Amino acid sequence: MVDALLDAVTNGREVATLVELKARFDEESNIGWARVLESEGVHVVYGLLGLKVHSKVTLIVRREGGHIRRYVHVGPATTTS
């Protein structure tokens, strides 16, 4: 997903993402990815302090033939217990 976001920025698209910092064993990795995304021009928003979000959502907004089209993908959150 990070590569797709970086490709979009490289192709002149506006890109924003929410990066969850409270992730089981992935906090350091997520901070690293957030820094890479920010350095490449992605608008990065961070999750709320103390709140764990379990979701994967993608929203693409495009202008097609003079109309605004929105494409949404909602994926299952994966958790382990």
Side-chain angles (χ1 to χ4, degrees):
M1 183 54 80
V2 172
D3 289 337
L5 296 173
L6 293 173
D7 286 347
V9 167
T10 300
N11 290 319
R13 305 297 189 247
E14 289 184 43
V15 178
T17 188
L18 182 138
V19 174
E20 181 61 60
L21 296 181
K22 185 176 181 179
R24 188 179 302 168
F25 310 115
D26 285 337
E27 292 88 355
E28 195 171 316
S29 175
N30 287 359
I31 291 169
W33 283 119
R35 288 183 178 153
V36 168
L37 291 164
E38 285 179 323
S39 72
E40 295 298 320
V42 174
H43 178 71
V44 177
V45 177
Y46 295 93
L48 298 173
L49 185 63
L51 181 64
K52 174 74 175 148
V53 177
H54 290 280
S55 65
K56 292 169 178 60
V57 179
T58 304
L59 170 64
I60 299 170
V61 180
R62 303 176 47 137
R63 184 181 314 275
E64 294 180 359
H67 299 283
I68 298 293
R69 301 266 181 178
R70 293 169 187 87
Y71 299 91
V72 177
H73 174 77
V74 179
T78 56
T79 59
T80 58
S81 36

